[in-house]
Amino acid sequence: MNLKINLKLNIQSPSHRPHRVFKKTALSLALLSGLLLNSVNAVAASASEEDPYIKSFKTYANEVNSSSGILKKSAEAYADDVFKTERSVGYIGKELAIPKAINVTDDVYTVVGSMIWHTPDNFGLNNNLSFMIFKDGVFVFNAGANPAIAYSLHKQIKRVTDKPVKWVAVENSQGHAYLGASYWVDVGVKNLYSSTLANQQFHEGYAEIKEEWASRVGRDITKTARDVSDKFTTYDNELTIDVGGGETVILKDFGPGHTPASTSVYVPSKKVILTGDLGFNERMPVFFAYTDSFAWKASYKRMLDEIPADTIVVPGHGTPTDMATGKRQMYDYLDYMHTQIQKIVDANGTEEQALLVDQSMYKDRPVFDQAAPNNAQHIYREITGGSFK
């Protein structure tokens, strides 16, 4: 197979944030005639807590209230207008220096995220963000870890095509898949998709998810993220989307694994599957307390059985590859670990012995030192019924 993959990860140069200037002369009849509203609405009031620029105008309005009702209304109207403008563009700030999207195959692009944990240096971009160009528009897979990343991905899309982003789907309920979704809503995307369970889990855990990611990667780039789970169309098992030109995108949840619910995107016409976190390539798989590694193996096997062998694989983490390599990197790792640790359990071995299972053949994978012992312990406890912390 000839994969059209250029693995050179060029870095985009950041642009400078536009400097917003307020002139006192602008707060006069022009504002009163063009921008005077009844008052700043409740949404703008909540936004003032997020944006110090808007908050300053609210403060000014309160300060002049006793001496000039006209000035108060003018400042409130201006703050409301700024809020609406900011909301309509989704994010106001510099473009982040994220990797440049690589061309995987015809009209399919992927930004390969960092192979390590989410940090301030990678802005939370430690998973893959993909986009595909169709007759009727652009399909984005994964919303990004924050509005700043979503905006930066959108800038890259606009350099490749003038077609609008029309669809956005997310792989699971994790922060780097979901927290940028409010950006896409704000810029006018109406078609957002998630599995029913993932959408529910994100909504229920939104406050904790946002706080965890903000504290890890940066509050400034995360603070405008909102819970827009009510804007998503949800599905169970499978959903087919008509993207024009006789092409379809098939959303499939092959079953639980890395997370309890996981969306993969299969495009038959392009012979490509975006596995989401069902698939890892080159990067060490990571198990969490909610990970079911045996279900993960069964879910991956289901994908192997249903998707043609000549399909290009864009994993949730790592570089694009082919189905055979993807299997060796993900399924075979799970199979090996299950087999080795089952032997230890059958011999009445201890958890400490499970930690000594030879994983040295995977030592070159990023986050190996942290993930390898954790994965061994996790599987031992799955088999023996031990608890997860």
Side-chain angles (χ1 to χ4, degrees):
M1 178 187 301
N2 293 321
L3 299 186
K4 295 170 58 179
I5 301 174
N6 176 11
L7 297 181
K8 183 178 181 181
L9 303 183
N10 297 317
I11 300 298
Q12 296 294 308
S13 299
S15 58
H16 294 288
R17 179 174 181 169
H19 181 63
R20 292 178 290 193
V21 180
F22 169 70
K23 296 181 179 180
K24 291 183 179 179
T25 55
L27 264 178
S28 58
L29 292 178
L31 279 173
L32 292 175
S33 61
L35 301 176
L36 185 57
L37 305 174
N38 293 332
S39 63
V40 177
N41 57 35
V43 178
S46 64
S48 69
E49 299 174 1
E50 297 284 290
D51 188 330
Y53 184 70
I54 295 175
K55 187 175 182 179
S56 69
F57 276 91
K58 287 291 294 177
T59 301
Y60 175 76
N62 291 331
E63 289 174 349
V64 300
N65 182 41
S66 60
S67 58
S68 175
I70 292 178
L71 280 177
K72 179 181 187 298
K73 290 180 179 180
S74 298
E76 288 178 334
Y78 186 75
D80 191 60
D81 192 61
V82 169
F83 165 74
K84 290 178 178 179
T85 300
E86 289 186 349
R87 177 61 61 86
S88 69
V89 299
Y91 176 77
I92 294 179
K94 67 181 181 180
E95 181 179 355
L96 302 181
I98 65 174
K100 183 179 178 181
I102 60 176
N103 183 204
V104 179
T105 189
D106 293 339
D107 293 327
V108 178
Y109 297 82
T110 294
V111 174
V112 178
S114 172
M115 298 282 198
I116 62 170
W117 314 111
H118 48 294
T119 69
D121 288 338
N122 60 38
F123 315 110
L125 178 57
N126 70 326
N127 64 332
N128 293 348
L129 307 180
S130 302
F131 63 93
M132 299 177 287
I133 304 168
F134 297 101
K135 178 179 179 292
D136 291 348
V138 178
F139 193 111
V140 170
F141 186 44
N142 280 332
N146 47 66
I149 283 179
Y151 165 77
S152 301
L153 176 65
H154 201 184
K155 293 283 283 186
Q156 289 202 32
I157 293 171
K158 290 178 178 179
R159 295 187 187 107
V160 176
T161 179
D162 58 2
K163 292 184 178 182
V165 174
K166 192 171 181 179
W167 308 271
V168 174
V170 296
E171 63 186 359
N172 54 36
S173 61
Q174 293 178 322
H176 56 194
Y178 243 109
L179 282 172
S182 58
Y183 168 85
W184 299 107
V185 170
D186 291 343
V187 298
V189 178
K190 304 295 184 185
N191 306 294
L192 298 101
Y193 302 95
S194 175
S195 76
T196 302
L197 179 57
N199 198 57
Q200 176 186 340
Q201 290 176 329
F202 177 78
H203 173 66
E204 292 174 350
Y206 165 73
E208 293 78 12
I209 293 169
K210 180 176 179 178
E211 172 59 25
E212 194 269 332
W213 282 78
S215 65
R216 288 284 297 273
V217 308
R219 297 190 181 279
D220 286 345
I221 60 176
T222 309
K223 66 182 179 182
T224 59
R226 307 188 314 281
D227 179 8
V228 292
S229 54
D230 62 322
K231 307 296 184 184
F232 277 74
T233 296
T234 59
Y235 78 97
D236 296 301
N237 301 317
E238 183 175 314
L239 177 67
T240 298
I241 303 167
D242 184 352
V243 290
E247 293 184 281
T248 59
V249 166
I250 303 173
L251 306 183
K252 293 182 71 70
D253 187 344
F254 291 100
H258 179 66
T259 53
S262 182
T263 291
S264 297
V265 177
Y266 175 51
V267 188
S269 61
K270 298 186 184 299
K271 292 187 175 182
V272 66
I273 184 165
L274 317 176
T275 69
D277 278 349
L278 180 65
F280 283 55
N281 180 41
E282 298 171 340
R283 183 183 186 265
M284 196 71 174
V286 177
F287 297 173
F288 298 105
Y290 49 72
T291 297
D292 184 334
S293 73
F294 286 86
W296 193 347
K297 178 181 170 183
S299 299
Y300 204 98
K301 179 63 164 57
R302 194 170 298 116
M303 183 193 74
L304 293 173
D305 291 341
E306 295 183 17
I307 303 300
D310 62 347
T311 301
I312 299 171
V313 175
V314 179
H317 296 268
T319 56
T321 187
D322 53 63
M323 289 285 283
T325 302
K327 175 183 177 295
R328 288 195 300 272
Q329 290 277 308
M330 186 68 245
Y331 180 87
D332 290 357
Y333 172 76
L334 294 173
D335 186 58
Y336 170 77
M337 292 296 293
H338 289 161
T339 300
Q340 296 305 310
I341 294 179
Q342 185 65 58
K343 291 178 181 178
I344 293 173
V345 174
D346 291 344
N348 297 317
T350 65
E351 185 173 294
E352 287 70 24
Q353 289 175 302
L355 295 176
L356 299 177
V357 165
D358 182 17
Q359 299 185 59
S360 61
M361 65 288 287
Y362 305 107
K363 66 181 180 181
D364 292 334
R365 295 188 183 188
V367 305
F368 172 84
D369 290 338
Q370 300 93 335
N374 173 74
N375 293 354
Q377 179 188 66
H378 187 100
I379 293 172
Y380 182 89
R381 293 183 180 183
E382 283 181 304
I383 294 174
T384 61
S387 62
F388 301 109
K389 297 179 181 181

Short mmCIF file of all heavy atoms in Angstrom, two decimals, residues 179 201-215:
data_model
loop_
_atom_site.label_atom_id
_atom_site.label_comp_id
_atom_site.label_asym_id
_atom_site.label_seq_id
_atom_site.Cartn_x
_atom_site.Cartn_y
_atom_site.Cartn_z
N LEU A 179 -13.43 19.57 25.17
CA LEU A 179 -13.47 20.92 25.74
C LEU A 179 -13.42 22.04 24.71
O LEU A 179 -13.80 23.17 25.00
CB LEU A 179 -12.32 21.10 26.75
CG LEU A 179 -12.56 20.45 28.12
CD1 LEU A 179 -11.30 20.51 28.97
CD2 LEU A 179 -13.72 21.12 28.86
N GLN A 201 -21.43 11.27 29.98
CA GLN A 201 -20.31 11.30 30.92
C GLN A 201 -19.60 12.65 30.92
O GLN A 201 -19.21 13.15 31.97
CB GLN A 201 -19.32 10.18 30.58
CG GLN A 201 -19.85 8.79 30.89
CD GLN A 201 -18.90 7.69 30.46
OE1 GLN A 201 -18.16 7.85 29.49
NE2 GLN A 201 -18.90 6.59 31.18
N PHE A 202 -19.46 13.25 29.74
CA PHE A 202 -18.83 14.56 29.69
C PHE A 202 -19.70 15.59 30.42
O PHE A 202 -19.20 16.40 31.20
CB PHE A 202 -18.59 15.01 28.26
CG PHE A 202 -18.01 16.40 28.17
CD1 PHE A 202 -16.66 16.61 28.40
CD2 PHE A 202 -18.81 17.49 27.88
CE1 PHE A 202 -16.11 17.89 28.35
CE2 PHE A 202 -18.28 18.77 27.82
CZ PHE A 202 -16.92 18.98 28.06
N HIS A 203 -20.99 15.56 30.16
CA HIS A 203 -21.90 16.52 30.80
C HIS A 203 -21.86 16.38 32.31
O HIS A 203 -21.75 17.38 33.04
CB HIS A 203 -23.32 16.30 30.29
CG HIS A 203 -24.35 17.12 31.01
ND1 HIS A 203 -24.39 18.50 30.92
CD2 HIS A 203 -25.36 16.76 31.85
CE1 HIS A 203 -25.39 18.96 31.67
NE2 HIS A 203 -25.98 17.92 32.25
N GLU A 204 -21.91 15.15 32.81
CA GLU A 204 -21.93 14.93 34.25
C GLU A 204 -20.60 15.30 34.90
O GLU A 204 -20.57 15.74 36.06
CB GLU A 204 -22.28 13.47 34.54
CG GLU A 204 -23.71 13.11 34.16
CD GLU A 204 -24.01 11.63 34.32
OE1 GLU A 204 -23.04 10.84 34.54
OE2 GLU A 204 -25.19 11.24 34.21
N GLY A 205 -19.52 15.13 34.19
CA GLY A 205 -18.20 15.41 34.77
C GLY A 205 -17.58 16.71 34.31
O GLY A 205 -16.40 16.95 34.58
N TYR A 206 -18.37 17.55 33.63
CA TYR A 206 -17.83 18.75 32.96
C TYR A 206 -16.98 19.62 33.89
O TYR A 206 -15.86 19.99 33.56
CB TYR A 206 -18.96 19.57 32.36
CG TYR A 206 -18.52 20.97 31.98
CD1 TYR A 206 -17.70 21.18 30.87
CD2 TYR A 206 -18.90 22.07 32.74
CE1 TYR A 206 -17.28 22.46 30.53
CE2 TYR A 206 -18.48 23.34 32.40
CZ TYR A 206 -17.67 23.53 31.30
OH TYR A 206 -17.25 24.79 30.98
N ALA A 207 -17.51 19.96 35.07
CA ALA A 207 -16.79 20.89 35.96
C ALA A 207 -15.43 20.33 36.35
O ALA A 207 -14.42 21.05 36.32
CB ALA A 207 -17.63 21.17 37.21
N GLU A 208 -15.38 19.05 36.70
CA GLU A 208 -14.12 18.43 37.09
C GLU A 208 -13.16 18.31 35.91
O GLU A 208 -11.95 18.51 36.04
CB GLU A 208 -14.38 17.05 37.70
CG GLU A 208 -15.11 17.07 39.03
CD GLU A 208 -16.60 17.30 38.89
OE1 GLU A 208 -17.11 17.22 37.74
OE2 GLU A 208 -17.26 17.55 39.91
N ILE A 209 -13.72 17.96 34.74
CA ILE A 209 -12.89 17.82 33.54
C ILE A 209 -12.25 19.15 33.17
O ILE A 209 -11.04 19.24 32.92
CB ILE A 209 -13.72 17.27 32.37
CG1 ILE A 209 -14.17 15.84 32.64
CG2 ILE A 209 -12.92 17.34 31.06
CD1 ILE A 209 -15.20 15.31 31.66
N LYS A 210 -13.05 20.20 33.18
CA LYS A 210 -12.52 21.52 32.82
C LYS A 210 -11.45 21.97 33.82
O LYS A 210 -10.40 22.48 33.42
CB LYS A 210 -13.64 22.55 32.74
CG LYS A 210 -13.15 23.94 32.36
CD LYS A 210 -14.28 24.93 32.20
CE LYS A 210 -13.74 26.31 31.85
NZ LYS A 210 -14.81 27.31 31.64
N GLU A 211 -11.71 21.78 35.09
CA GLU A 211 -10.75 22.21 36.10
C GLU A 211 -9.44 21.43 35.97
O GLU A 211 -8.35 22.01 36.08
CB GLU A 211 -11.34 22.02 37.50
CG GLU A 211 -10.36 22.25 38.65
CD GLU A 211 -9.74 23.65 38.66
OE1 GLU A 211 -10.37 24.59 38.12
OE2 GLU A 211 -8.62 23.79 39.19
N GLU A 212 -9.54 20.13 35.75
CA GLU A 212 -8.32 19.32 35.64
C GLU A 212 -7.48 19.75 34.45
O GLU A 212 -6.26 19.92 34.56
CB GLU A 212 -8.70 17.84 35.50
CG GLU A 212 -7.54 16.87 35.71
CD GLU A 212 -6.80 16.53 34.43
OE1 GLU A 212 -7.41 16.57 33.35
OE2 GLU A 212 -5.59 16.23 34.50
N TRP A 213 -8.12 19.98 33.31
CA TRP A 213 -7.37 20.37 32.12
C TRP A 213 -6.87 21.81 32.21
O TRP A 213 -5.75 22.12 31.78
CB TRP A 213 -8.21 20.16 30.86
CG TRP A 213 -8.24 18.72 30.48
CD1 TRP A 213 -8.97 17.72 31.05
CD2 TRP A 213 -7.42 18.08 29.49
NE1 TRP A 213 -8.67 16.51 30.47
CE2 TRP A 213 -7.74 16.70 29.51
CE3 TRP A 213 -6.48 18.55 28.58
CZ2 TRP A 213 -7.12 15.79 28.64
CZ3 TRP A 213 -5.87 17.64 27.73
CH2 TRP A 213 -6.19 16.28 27.76
N ALA A 214 -7.65 22.69 32.79
CA ALA A 214 -7.21 24.08 32.96
C ALA A 214 -5.98 24.14 33.87
O ALA A 214 -5.02 24.87 33.59
CB ALA A 214 -8.34 24.93 33.53
N SER A 215 -6.01 23.36 34.95
CA SER A 215 -4.89 23.39 35.89
C SER A 215 -3.63 22.75 35.29
O SER A 215 -2.51 23.12 35.64
CB SER A 215 -5.27 22.65 37.18
OG SER A 215 -5.49 21.27 36.95
#
